[in-house]
Amino acid sequence: MSKKINLTLKIWRQKNRHAKGRFELYKADAIDTEMSFLEMIDVVNEKLTKEGQEPIAFDHDCREGICGMCGAVVNGQPHGPQRATTLCQLHMRYFKDGETLVIEPLRARAFPVVKDLIVDRSAFDRVLQAGGFVSVKTGCAPDAQTLLVSKHKAETAMDAAQCIGCGACVAACPNGAAMLFVGAKLTHLNVLPQGEVEKDARVHRMVKQMDKEGFGSCSNEYECQAACPKKISVSVIARMNKDHLRSSE
Amino acid sequence: MLVLASITKKQIVAATGLFLVLFVLGHLTGNFFIYGGSEAYNGYAHHLNSLRPVLNVVEAGLFLIFLLHMSLTISLLIENIQARGFRRYAVDRPVGERSWASRLIPFTGTYILGFVIFHLFDFAFVSHFGARSLINGIDRGLYGAVYNAFKDIRHSAAYIIAVSFLGFHLAHGVQSLIQTFGFENPVWSPRIRVLSVWIGGLVALAYSSIPLFILLYVKS
Amino acid sequence: MLNPNIPSGALKDKWTHHKASIKLVNPGNKRSLKVLVVGTGLAGASAAASLAELGYQVEVFCIQDSPRRAHSIAAQGGINAAKNYPNDGDSVHRLFHDTIKGGDFRSREANVHRLAEVSNHIIDQCVAQGVPFARDYAGYLDNRSFGGAQVSRTFYARGQTGQQLLLGAYQALMKEVGKGAIKLHTRSEMQDLVVIDGVARGIIVRDLITGEITSYVGDAVVLATGGYGNIFYLSTNAKACNATAIWRAHKKGAFMANPCYTQIHPTCIPVHGDYQSKLTLMSESLRNDGRVWVPKKAGDTRPAREIPEAERDYFLERKYPAFGNLVPRDIASRNAKEQCDGGRGVSSSGKAVYLDFTDAIKRVGKAVIQERYGNLLEMYERITGEDPTTTPMMIYPAIHYTMGGLWVDYNLMSNLPGLFVIGEANFSDHGANRLGASALMQGLADGYFILPYTIGDYLARLKKSPVDIAGHEAFKQGVSDARQRIDKLLAIKGKQTVNEFHRRLGHLLWEKCGMARNKKGLEEALAEIPRIREEFWKDLCVVGSGEDLNQSLERAGRVADFLEFAELLVKDALTREESCGGHFREEYQTEGGEALRRDDIFSFVAAWEYKGAGTAPVLHKEPLNFEEVPLAQRNYT
Ligand SMILES: Cc1cc2nc3c(=O)[nH]c(=O)nc-3n(C[C@H](O)[C@H](O)[C@H](O)COP(=O)(O)OP(=O)(O)OC[C@H]3O[C@@H](n4cnc5c(N)ncnc54)[C@H](O)[C@@H]3O)c2cc1C
Ligand code: HEM
Ligand code: HEM
Ligand code: SF4
Ligand code: F3S
Ligand code: FES
C-alpha cells in the first residue's frame, strides 16, 4: 500500500548540446510509493518551478511504455532497475526510503545530449531511412489473404517488431552499439515474405548507416537485451549477422 | 580505401578466433604426448618438424591470423570506446548479462599476446637441445627443455596464469564467435553459452595439467 | 451555408464516381506543388508517404523527436475492416451500418460509407508493408470481435495494433524521407496557420530545441494533429496531445465541429493521487471475463475478499440483464460514475469499481485467463503493484477519444480552401460516438486512400498565386504574433505552474462536462473557465527562456489554447439539448437511463465559427440526412 519515502536525486543538468554538464543534487521528499518515476520527477519539477529554478528537462509522452520517448539511466541502468519496464512504468515502490538515485541521460556518441536528460536519437530514424521498410507504394498491394505467413514467422516478426525505439539498448551497451535496435527491425522485415525480397539490400544499407552514425560494434555483451523494456532477444543480432554474411551485396 | 562494415570486421575476428581455437586445441593434443614420456613427446615434435615446408606455411598462416585477430580487435576496441561517448555512467552497474570474461577480453587477449611472445622464446625460437634440455646430465631434447622449465615453480605459475586467461578468453570467445556467425536457436543458444564456459575451463585445466604434472608427479 | 460537397448519386457509388470525375494533377506539376503535413500519427504519416509517392513535395512536422512516437502508437485493440474473412456475414454495408448506428446517427452517411469501402484496402496495404497481424496456424489472418458489432472484423497485432500500424506508416514515411521526397521536421510545433485571402497558404512553426520561429509556405496544409482529449488533463492520451494546431486554425477561420462529442472509456486504471499525470487504459476485452461490482453498502471499506457475495452489487448485470458487463462504453462508464457518486466506490479515493475475475478463473482456470489477458494483467500489476488474479482489479472511466474536431467536407477540406484535416483532428466519421477499432481505420483511410485523391482535385484547380507568397505580410505577421505570445507567457512571472492550471481546468470539465452533463453544471463551467483563463494570464509561472528547449513553455502554450477551446466545448454541450453517444445530457434520457436523441431538432453537425475574443461564436448547422439507415433508438436492457 501507499507510503511516503524521501530520496536524494543526483541529476545530470546540461543546458544544451554544446554546454558542459554536471550533476546537481535535489531532494525529493514525501514521495508517494504509488507514483511512477516520471511523476516523481514531475513533483520535483513543480517545486523547482515554484522556486524559480528551471525544471529538469526529460522526454516522455505516452507514459504507458509504448512510445519510446522516455528513458534515462537510473543508477547505471537504462530505464532503471526493473526488468522489461520503461522508465514511465517504473514505480516508486521499487525504491527504499533514504536512497540516493543517480539519474543521467542515455549516453552514446550517436545520442548527443540535447538538454538535461533529453538526448537526440534521430540517428535511429536515419538508420531506418536507409532501408527499414518494404518498398510498397500505396495502392499496389494485393489482397491481404493471398500471402500466407506461417504462424512461427508471424510471431518471430512480431516479437522483434515490438521494439519501441527507446535507445536503452545503445545506452546499456558498453560499446554504444545499436545492434539490438537494428537487428530487431531487420528481423521483423526479413523473416516475413513481404520483406524478404529486399533482404540483402536492406541489411547492407542499414548496417552501413548504423556504422556511419557512430554506433559501436557488437562484442556480444548481451547487456542490451537485459536493458530492453520490450524483451527483444539478442537472437535478432545473430540473425542480422547471418543475413549480413550471406547477403550478396 | 575499402571500409569494412562493423559486422564484417567482427566476423573476421570470429573467423580468426576460430582458427586460433583450433590451433589451441591441436597444440594441446600435441602437448599431451608429454604424458607418454620423453620419447613420445620428442617423437611428436620430430614428426611435426619433418613436415617442414608445409609447417612453414602453417606457421606463417598462424602468424597472419594472430596479426589479423589482434589488429582488428584493437581497432574495434578503439572504435567502441569512442562510440560510447565521452564518459561512462557515474554508477557502474551493468544490467546483468555481461560476464567478467567478456569485460576482461581485451586484457586477457593482451596477456595472451605477451605470453605467446614469451612462450616462443621459451620453446620455439630456441635450440631444442643443449644445456636447457639436460635431465640428470642426459640431453632429453625438447622434452628436457619443457621438463626443466616447469620444474621451476615460477615458470609453471606463469604458464598456469596464462592458460587460465586463455580459458577466460575462450569462455566468452567460443559462444561469441558462434553468435557473430549468426547461429541462433532458442534451445541451443543458451546451451552454447554454458558450453563455452566449460570449453574455456577445460582448455585452461588441460593446459595447466602439463606444468602441474611435471611439477608434482614426474620424478627426475 | 455550409456545403459538405457530397457527390450525387447512389450512396454506394458516390466515392467511385467522385474518384473518376475529380481533376488530376499532371505529373510534371506535382513536383512544383508543396504540401505541408502537420502530424505524423496514422493519418499524417500515411498521407505524407502517399503524397510523396505521387510526386508532390512534402514537408512533415511533429512534436516528438521521431515521427514514430505519435500518439497512434498507443492504440491497443485493433482495426476494423469489412473483409469478411471469417465468413460470418460481414460486408461493406454492415460495417457502414454499424458505424452509423454506433455513432448514434450523428455522422454523414456518405463519409461513413466511403470509410467502410476503403477499409479493406487498408488491411491489404498494411500487410504488404509487413505489419505483423495475428495469424492462425494455417498462416491466414486472424480476427477478433469488438464492442458494437456482431461480426468478427477486427484485425490485430497482439495488444499493440496501433504501434504496428503506425510503424508501417512511419516506415513508408522514412522510405520517402530517405529518397529526399519528404523533408522531416521533428521537435517542431505548429503555432499558427497562415491564411491569405481566405486560402490556407502556410504555417508558423516553433523549433522546440532552439526556440526559433519560422514560417513555411505550401500549396496546401494538412492537419493531422490528433485529438484534444487532454483538455481534461487526465486522459488516456499521451502527454503531448493538444488542440493547438486545430484551435489556432479555428481562430483563423476554420469551423470547429461538434466539440462536445468526447468519448469516455470505462476500463482505465483509477486515479491514485493528485500527482497523477495520466490514465492508463485497460482493454475493453477484459469485460468479457471480468464482473463489475461495488459493495452494496456505501462507505464499506473492507477489502474486496472480505465482502460476502450477498453484500456485493453486480450493478451492470442487475440493470442490463441482456448485455450484462458487455454494455457499450458510455453506459458502462455512466453506471460506474453513478455508483461512485452514491458513495459505493472503492479504493482510497472512492473513485473506482471492481472488475473481478474470480468467477472466470473458477470457470476456466487461472492459466487460461493469464493467457487471454497476460500482458494487460502484467501492466496492471506493474502500475498498481497488485495481482489482479487474486485481488479484483479496480477500474474507473477516463476520457479516451474526441469525436469533435475541425469541420471538413466530403473531400476532407475545411471551410478554408487549402486546409485539409484528417484523422482524429477532424470532426470525423464517428458521429457522437466512436466504435472500438474504428479510429485506426479512419486515420489510415484518410491518409492512404482519401486525401491523396481529394487533395489532387484542389491542387489541380489551384491557380498559382501571382504574388510572391513567401514574402507576404501575413507570414511576417504570423511569426511576430507567435513570438509575442511566447514573450507574453514568459513575462507573466506569476506563482502558479502550468500543471496547476491544467489540472484545474481538467477537473472542472470532468465534473461539469464529462460523462454526464446538465444545464446547470455547464453554465457554471461556462462562468468558471474565463476566470481560470484570466488567472492564468496573470499568475502563470514559466521559468526559462523562449530561445531554448523549454517544456513548461510548450505546455503553457497548449494549456492557453485549451483554456480558450474549453469554452467552446462547453458551449456546444450546452447548445446540444439532447443526449447522443458520448454526449449525455441528464435532462434528456429515457426511463431506462438511455441517451435520448432529439432527431427532429438536433440532427445536424454543429460547426462553430470564431468571431474574435470576447465575441460569441456563430453556429452553422450542417443538416444530416439518413437515407440508408433508418433512425432508431439504442436499447441494451
Ligand atoms: C490508449 C488508447 C488506445 C486506443 N486504442 C484504439 C484501438 O484499439 N483502435 C482504434 O481504432 N483506435 C484506438 N484509439 C484511438 C486512436 O489511437 C487515435 O484516435 C488515432 O491514433 C489518432 O491518430 P491521428 O493520426 O489522428 O493522431 P495522432 O496519432 O494523435 O498524431 C498526432 C500527431 O500530430 C502531431 N502534432 C500535434 N499537435 C501538433 C502541433 N501543434 N504541431 C506539430 N505537430 C503536432 C503530433 O506530434 C503527432 O505526430 C486509442 C486511443 C488511445 C488513447
Ligand atoms: C603447457 C602448455 C604448453 C606447452 C608445454 C607448450 C609447448 C610448446 C612447444 C614445446 C613448442 C615448440 C614446438 C616446436 O618448435 O616444434 C610450442 C610452440 C608454440 N606454442 Fe606452445 N605450449 C604450451 C602452451 C601454449 C599456449 C597456451 C599457446 C597459445 C596461446 C601456445 C602457442 C604456441 C605457439 C604459437 C607456438 C609456435 C608454433 C610453432 O612454432 O609451430 N602454446 N609450444
Ligand atoms: C590463442 C589465442 C587466441 C584465441 C584462441 C582467441 C580467440 C578469440 C575468440 C574466439 C574471440 C571471439 C570472437 C567473436 O567475438 O566473435 C576472440 C575475441 C577477442 N580476442 Fe582473441 N583470441 C586469441 C588471442 C588474442 C590476442 C592475442 C588478443 C590481443 C590483443 C585478443 C583479443 C581479443 C579481443 C579484444 C576480442 C574481442 C573482440 C570483440 O569481441 O570485439 N585475442 N578471441
Ligand atoms: S531494442 Fe529494446 S532497448 Fe533497443 S530501442 Fe528497441 S525497445 Fe528500446
Ligand atoms: S550489449 Fe552491445 S555488445 Fe552487442 S550484444 Fe548488445 S550490442
Ligand atoms: S513515455 Fe512513452 S514509453 Fe515511456
Side-chain angles (χ1 to χ4, degrees):
Chain A
M1 279 283 94
S2 122
K3 59 174 195 204
K4 304 271 192 235
I5 55 173
N6 298 326
L7 299 166
T8 306
L9 309 179
K10 199 173 152 196
I11 299 184
W12 186 258
R13 302 301 305 261
Q14 182 171 336
K15 192 150 172 50
N16 56 45
R17 189 180 290 231
H18 310 290
K20 241 175 87 92
R22 67 196 178 287
F23 280 105
E24 299 256 346
L25 282 177
Y26 300 96
K27 287 258 166 261
D29 288 335
I31 294 299
D32 196 305
T33 50
E34 296 299 299
M35 276 183 197
S36 73
F37 196 88
L38 299 187
E39 283 167 349
M40 183 272 292
I41 302 184
D42 284 344
V43 168
V44 174
N45 274 345
E46 289 286 288
K47 201 171 134 232
L48 287 177
T49 307
K50 296 218 162 209
E51 290 166 357
Q53 294 186 56
E54 241 193 283
I56 300 143
F58 65 100
D59 260 335
H60 63 100
D61 197 16
C62 72
R63 296 205 176 192
E64 55 182 73
I66 192 75
C67 73
M69 197 80 177
C70 69
V73 174
V74 181
N75 289 345
Q77 301 179 321
H79 290 302
Q82 198 187 6
R83 286 278 173 114
T85 304
T86 53
L87 197 61
C88 57
Q89 293 225 295
L90 175 66
H91 279 68
M92 296 313 290
R93 65 183 87 86
Y94 288 89
F95 299 97
K96 288 191 288 289
D97 191 25
E99 231 179 306
T100 298
L101 306 182
V102 183
I103 308 170
E104 322 176 49
L106 305 174
R107 293 198 194 274
R109 174 177 55 180
F111 287 172
V113 174
V114 171
K115 182 170 186 172
D116 298 347
L117 302 177
I118 298 182
V119 297
D120 177 355
R121 287 168 292 198
S122 55
F124 273 4
D125 282 343
R126 288 188 294 273
V127 172
L128 280 245
Q129 281 159 26
F133 46 76
V134 174
S135 299
V136 55
K137 284 191 175 183
T138 306
C140 61
D143 185 90
Q145 212 71 300
T146 52
L147 188 78
L148 298 191
V149 181
S150 75
K151 179 125 181 135
H152 174 70
K153 282 188 176 173
E155 296 292 317
T156 308
M158 184 63 209
D159 282 340
Q162 294 193 70
C163 164
I164 58 174
C166 62
C169 47
V170 177
C173 176
N175 307 337
M179 297 290 279
L180 198 65
F181 169 79
V182 180
K185 188 43 63 194
L186 284 167
T187 291
H188 165 204
L189 296 175
N190 288 357
V191 302
L192 290 174
Q194 299 94 303
E196 213 184 336
V197 186
E198 297 171 275
K199 184 168 156 179
D200 287 1
R202 179 180 300 121
V203 65
H204 263 271
R205 295 200 189 127
M206 287 178 72
V207 168
K208 200 169 154 202
Q209 188 65 31
M210 172 181 91
D211 290 349
K212 204 169 136 195
E213 293 293 343
F215 291 109
S217 66
C218 182
S219 51
N220 303 321
E221 309 285 349
Y222 310 138
E223 283 290 296
C224 50
Q225 75 173 3
C228 175
K230 296 294 146 183
K231 297 196 248 187
I232 309 270
S233 140
V234 289
S235 66
V236 302
I237 299 181
R239 208 176 278 108
M240 162 160 68
N241 288 337
K242 184 167 66 190
D243 289 351
H244 194 266
L245 189 65
R246 286 191 185 166
S247 71
S248 52
E249 282 210 9
Chain B
M1 198 189 96
L2 178 73
V3 182
L4 291 179
S6 59
I7 293 183
T8 310
K9 281 193 205 165
K10 203 44 227 270
Q11 283 168 340
I12 299 173
V13 171
T16 53
L18 178 63
F19 278 113
L20 293 175
V21 171
L22 293 178
F23 166 77
V24 163
L25 293 179
H27 192 52
L28 177 66
T29 322
N31 276 316
F32 267 13
F33 278 96
I34 210 141
Y35 292 111
S38 63
E39 240 105 292
Y41 194 70
N42 288 337
Y44 157 73
H46 188 75
H47 177 69
L48 258 191
N49 271 304
S50 68
L51 300 171
R52 237 333 137 188
V54 182
L55 191 64
N56 283 343
V57 177
V58 173
E59 281 171 359
L62 194 63
F63 179 70
L64 277 180
I65 285 172
F66 241 108
L67 217 62
L68 209 57
H69 186 78
M70 274 161 30
S71 53
L72 280 177
T73 49
I74 291 169
S75 98
L76 284 171
L77 196 69
I78 293 171
E79 279 171 29
N80 287 343
I81 290 170
Q82 287 170 342
R84 277 178 202 171
F86 69 109
R87 70 197 288 283
R88 278 319 270 169
Y89 300 112
V91 182
D92 181 27
R93 187 182 296 166
V95 197
E97 308 269 307
R98 210 178 170 197
S99 65
W100 278 101
S102 73
R103 282 190 150 205
L104 294 179
I105 211 156
F107 303 103
T108 52
T110 316
Y111 192 92
I112 295 167
L113 173 66
F115 162 76
V116 169
I117 294 169
F118 166 75
H119 179 60
L120 292 178
F121 284 102
D122 207 10
F123 296 140
F125 299 165
V126 292
S127 168
H128 291 174
F129 304 95
R132 288 184 67 220
S133 303
L134 296 177
I135 303 176
N136 295 335
I138 308 163
D139 192 328
R140 296 282 187 163
L142 189 57
Y143 179 87
V146 172
Y147 175 90
N148 285 330
F150 290 160
K151 268 299 175 196
D152 179 350
I153 192 159
R154 287 166 305 177
H155 209 123
S156 279
Y159 267 70
I160 290 169
I161 294 174
V163 295
S164 308
F165 277 26
L166 177 65
F168 237 42
H169 199 83
L170 294 188
H172 177 73
V174 171
Q175 56 82 35
S176 176
L177 81 88
I178 291 170
Q179 166 88 358
T180 302
F181 280 132
F183 176 84
E184 56 87 22
N185 176 296
V187 179
W188 277 99
S189 293
R191 289 189 189 162
I192 286 171
R193 275 179 220 161
V194 177
L195 201 69
S196 183
V197 176
W198 278 96
I199 291 176
L202 285 178
V203 164
L205 273 181
Y207 267 116
S208 303
S209 74
I210 295 170
L212 287 175
F213 170 72
I214 289 176
L215 195 63
L216 303 175
Y217 284 92
V218 183
K219 306 268 180 320
S220 53
Chain C
M1 180 64 193
L2 215 44
N3 184 1
N5 292 316
I6 298 170
S8 57
L11 184 67
K12 64 181 193 334
D13 302 326
K14 283 183 198 287
W15 179 233
T16 315
H17 287 170
H18 189 58
K19 272 195 297 185
S21 64
I22 54 183
K23 287 190 88 152
L24 300 176
V25 182
N26 128 2
N29 285 349
K30 282 182 185 152
R31 259 172 278 131
S32 65
L33 289 166
K34 182 181 276 181
V35 183
L36 306 177
V37 179
V38 188
T40 58
L42 286 176
S46 58
S50 306
L51 290 171
E53 284 167 7
L54 287 172
Y56 295 107
Q57 282 182 53
V58 180
E59 294 205 37
V60 173
F61 304 81
C62 70
I63 290 178
Q64 292 81 2
D65 68 333
S66 163
R68 67 180 291 156
R69 309 203 199 280
H71 174 58
S72 298
I73 201 97
Q76 302 171 345
I79 177 166
N80 287 331
K83 282 286 194 185
N84 192 30
Y85 287 151
N87 196 26
D88 55 0
D90 200 6
S91 63
V92 167
H93 185 80
R94 201 179 283 278
L95 174 54
F96 154 72
H97 185 278
D98 288 349
T99 309
I100 289 282
K101 189 170 161 230
D104 222 356
F105 300 92
R106 288 294 172 264
S107 44
R108 238 186 242 149
E109 274 191 341
N111 283 49
V112 176
H113 198 275
R114 174 177 64 186
L115 176 64
E117 280 173 60
V118 302
S119 66
N120 292 343
H121 300 306
I122 299 174
I123 304 303
D124 301 341
Q125 180 66 24
C126 294
V127 166
Q129 287 172 339
V131 170
F133 283 125
R135 292 184 180 259
D136 62 19
Y137 281 97
Y140 290 100
L141 290 160
D142 197 13
N143 288 117
R144 58 164 65 141
S145 27
F146 236 72
Q150 284 157 312
V151 291
S152 247
R153 63 159 73 101
T154 307
F155 293 79
Y156 64 101
R158 295 202 189 140
Q160 293 116 291
T161 318
Q163 178 195 30
Q164 294 311 315
L165 293 173
L166 182 61
L167 291 181
Y170 158 75
Q171 286 163 203
L173 182 75
M174 287 295 106
K175 161 173 74 74
E176 296 301 315
V177 174
K179 281 189 196 149
I182 295 181
K183 239 173 116 184
L184 179 64
H185 305 270
T186 57
R187 293 205 200 263
S188 297
E189 184 166 0
M190 168 175 156
Q191 301 286 311
D192 216 340
L193 180 72
V194 179
V195 179
I196 297 173
D197 300 331
V199 179
R201 287 294 187 174
I203 56 173
I204 308 293
V205 174
R206 178 167 185 269
D207 179 323
L208 298 179
I209 296 180
T210 61
E212 199 184 340
I213 294 168
T214 323
S215 59
Y216 292 87
V217 185
D219 294 291
V221 175
V222 179
L223 297 189
T225 53
Y228 52 85
N230 269 354
I231 198 167
F232 290 86
Y233 187 66
L234 288 181
S235 82
T236 61
N237 286 13
K239 295 298 282 178
C241 292
N242 69 89
T244 291
I246 59 169
W247 182 250
R248 307 260 169 105
H250 171 66
K251 287 173 83 172
K252 283 282 155 73
F255 294 171
M256 185 70 77
N258 302 334
C260 78
Y261 290 166
T262 53
Q263 186 175 71
I264 284 160
H265 199 288
T267 46
C268 301
I269 300 178
V271 178
H272 35 74
D274 318 326
Y275 49 79
Q276 184 97 20
S277 59
K278 81 150 273 166
L279 296 170
T280 304
L281 180 78
M282 288 278 106
S283 167
E284 225 171 335
S285 58
L286 289 170
R287 284 196 281 143
N288 280 304
D289 282 303
R291 297 180 71 196
V292 178
W293 65 275
V294 289
K296 278 189 176 155
K297 206 166 71 217
D300 192 337
T301 53
R302 286 174 294 176
R305 254 166 312 163
E306 288 169 25
I307 302 179
E309 204 55 35
E311 291 173 42
R312 299 176 175 191
D313 180 12
Y314 294 88
F315 55 93
L316 290 178
E317 296 171 18
R318 172 170 59 79
K319 289 171 73 174
Y320 308 94
F323 279 74
N325 295 298
L326 284 173
V327 290
R329 289 179 177 179
D330 50 339
I331 298 182
S333 302
R334 274 198 306 277
N335 276 282
K337 178 175 154 66
E338 196 181 291
Q339 296 302 327
C340 297
D341 289 350
R344 290 176 295 278
V346 295
S347 100
S348 52
S349 66
K351 287 222 158 38
V353 299
Y354 287 125
L355 182 63
D356 198 338
F357 297 97
T358 316
D359 289 338
I361 290 172
K362 268 192 214 134
R363 197 173 59 241
V364 296
K366 191 165 168 169
V368 175
I369 294 296
Q370 219 120 31
E371 193 199 300
R372 274 185 202 161
Y373 307 109
N375 59 349
L376 287 170
L377 303 181
E378 223 175 80
M379 174 140 93
Y380 181 85
E381 190 170 353
R382 202 173 283 144
I383 293 173
T384 63
E386 280 176 2
D387 176 3
T389 58
T390 55
T391 324
M393 203 179 246
M394 284 194 248
I395 53 158
Y396 199 65
I399 289 286
H400 178 56
Y401 183 85
T402 53
M403 282 74 67
L406 289 179
W407 182 88
V408 287
D409 67 3
Y410 187 76
N411 293 317
L412 303 180
M413 188 164 83
S414 75
N415 58 306
L416 294 178
L419 177 67
F420 291 79
V421 191
I422 57 176
E424 197 176 335
N426 71 22
F427 86 105
S428 99
D429 305 345
H430 308 294
N433 176 50
R434 173 179 70 80
L435 290 181
S438 284
L440 302 181
M441 170 172 72
Q442 181 230 336
L444 290 179
D446 289 0
Y448 283 132
F449 297 110
I450 302 173
L451 182 85
Y453 289 98
T454 59
I455 204 170
D457 189 45
Y458 170 78
L459 291 170
R461 290 168 204 276
L462 183 72
K463 283 191 215 45
K464 269 281 170 192
S465 163
V467 292
D468 172 21
I469 281 287
H472 196 281
E473 197 47 41
F475 283 95
K476 286 187 210 124
Q477 189 62 41
V479 170
S480 89
D481 286 352
R483 191 163 292 138
Q484 264 175 29
R485 253 178 84 86
I486 283 167
D487 291 343
K488 210 170 135 195
L489 286 167
L490 288 166
I492 307 169
K493 295 198 189 305
K495 291 200 179 57
Q496 299 178 59
T497 64
V498 184
N499 283 348
E500 286 171 325
F501 284 109
H502 196 174
R503 235 181 252 130
R504 249 166 83 190
L505 174 69
H507 185 75
L508 178 73
L509 287 180
W510 178 244
E511 290 301 320
K512 311 280 186 196
C513 194
M515 268 184 277
R517 303 152 175 188
N518 59 49
K519 187 160 188 287
K520 183 167 162 284
L522 292 169
E523 280 168 349
E524 283 165 12
L526 220 44
E528 181 65 14
I529 294 164
R531 281 202 284 272
I532 305 179
R533 194 168 57 223
E534 209 172 301
E535 209 177 311
F536 175 88
W537 285 103
K538 268 198 205 121
D539 197 30
L540 176 70
C541 164
V542 176
V543 186
S545 90
E547 275 84 56
D548 196 1
L549 192 149
N550 188 336
Q551 294 175 313
S552 318
L553 180 64
E554 291 165 27
R555 276 201 301 275
R558 294 171 201 154
V559 172
D561 290 329
F562 280 145
L563 281 166
E564 294 177 7
F565 184 24
E567 214 173 322
L568 186 64
L569 194 160
V570 174
K571 192 169 173 74
D572 187 44
L574 189 62
T575 312
R576 190 165 283 279
E577 294 180 319
E578 66 161 349
S579 295
C580 56
H583 170 65
F584 189 80
R585 282 284 299 263
E586 285 166 353
E587 302 94 317
Y588 307 99
Q589 49 180 310
T590 64
E591 271 166 35
E594 247 303 298
L596 184 66
R597 283 199 325 266
R598 297 168 75 196
D599 294 325
D600 45 341
I601 322 175
F602 287 101
S603 188
F604 62 77
V605 175
W608 297 90
E609 183 183 0
Y610 184 77
K611 283 289 182 192
T615 313
V618 172
L619 174 65
H620 299 265
K621 297 178 184 173
E622 181 204 326
L624 293 169
N625 300 312
F626 294 90
E627 287 156 20
E628 290 281 324
V629 192
L631 286 160
Q633 196 76 46
R634 298 194 309 176
N635 187 0
Y636 292 92
T637 45

